[in-house]
Amino acid sequence: MSRKAVFLDRDGVINVDHGYVYRPGEFEFIEGVFDACRHLHALGYLLIVVTNQSGIARGKYTEQDFRKLTEWMKDRFAREGAPLTHVYHCPHHPDYGNADERDCYCRKPMPGMIIAGLNDYGLTAEDCIMIGDKRADMEAASAAGIGKKVLVMSGHALSPADLDTADSVWQSIREATRAICQ
Ligand SMILES: O=P(O)(O)OC[C@@H](O)[C@H]1O[C@@H](OP(=O)(O)O)[C@@H](O)[C@@H](O)[C@@H]1O
Ligand SMILES: [Mg+2]
Ligand SMILES: [Zn+2]
């Protein structure tokens, strides 16, 4: 049997994007995210987070701050019966750091984090789903050959051109999952 995953963007999909969130106190889970992820897990999807964290390159918070928040978030998901298999992050931004960091392959819309997940867990890209709140999420998924690209409106404002990059658009991960699991 092929192995499949749902690749989840973090800010705007799992939690409200208050802008460069790095403390549990400011991490506001989006309504229905645990139910949705429990459901996807029960259907045999691995739950893999792929998140741009340019707040690290920008000096807003550190790798250690990010790691602490991630451990806390993973613990919450585990206790809700929806364990996260892996959280990949890109700490870079094109305006900061050395040439390699500025031009990295992991910052979405580049597909590096998704490709790492496909390889690390032996996944079939065509059977996987990406859920994101920005065009960059859809473009990264497309470049990695992900089978289903889903945009949600619980994060950034989306233009008609952005909406065109997705296979389907839903209010939030809750509605997206209901549709996927029908
Ligand atoms: O949505 P994901 O990939 O999980 O994470 C995005 C965040 O790291 C931040 O990404 C920033 O974009 P820039 O990185 O500055 O372009 C802005 O969109 C922030 O509001 C947001 O918090
Ligand atoms: Mg996002
Ligand atoms: Zn990167």
Side-chain angles (χ1 to χ4, degrees):
M1 200 184 80
S2 75
R3 281 159 63 88
K4 57 189 182 178
V6 178
F7 288 92
L8 296 163
D9 174 55
R10 197 194 81 179
D11 300 305
V13 173
I14 291 176
N15 57 290
V16 179
D17 189 351
H18 291 304
Y20 309 105
V21 169
Y22 71 97
R23 283 185 291 239
E26 58 188 347
F27 199 94
E28 190 184 338
F29 286 99
I30 284 176
E31 229 180 297
V33 66
F34 294 127
D35 280 348
C37 288
R38 202 181 298 117
H39 204 139
L40 293 165
H41 173 64
L43 289 176
Y45 288 97
L46 300 184
L47 302 171
I48 297 180
V49 177
V50 286
T51 177
N52 283 355
Q53 291 297 321
S54 74
I56 296 170
R58 294 171 188 280
K60 291 181 180 290
Y61 49 91
T62 64
E63 281 282 351
Q64 204 199 346
D65 292 327
F66 174 77
R67 259 200 304 276
K68 270 194 199 163
L69 177 66
T70 298
E71 286 315 306
W72 173 86
M73 177 180 78
K74 287 176 80 173
D75 186 58
R76 285 296 310 271
F77 272 89
R79 285 196 278 132
E80 295 284 349
L84 300 177
T85 293
H86 203 119
V87 177
Y88 294 94
H89 75 289
C90 164
H92 309 123
H93 187 276
D95 294 344
Y96 299 86
N98 64 35
D100 283 348
E101 291 164 346
R102 286 167 185 254
D103 194 25
C104 77
Y105 191 58
C106 39
R107 180 175 161 84
K108 297 170 288 183
M110 297 303 277
M113 292 188 284
I114 299 175
I115 288 174
L118 294 173
N119 291 336
D120 290 348
Y121 295 96
L123 306 170
T124 306
E126 176 59 31
D127 295 338
C128 293
I129 300 170
M130 171 81 212
I131 305 180
D133 73 317
K134 285 187 191 170
R135 180 202 286 228
D137 300 319
M138 302 298 102
E139 290 174 342
S142 186
I146 297 301
K148 202 175 281 185
K149 304 185 294 293
V150 179
L151 260 180
V152 291
M153 296 189 286
S154 48
H156 268 256
L158 295 163
S159 71
D162 294 336
L163 300 180
D164 277 350
T165 62
D167 298 317
S168 62
V169 185
W170 301 96
Q171 200 59 41
S172 75
I173 188 170
R174 174 163 51 190
E175 290 74 17
T177 301
R178 277 188 195 142
I180 290 164
C181 298
Q182 258 174 15

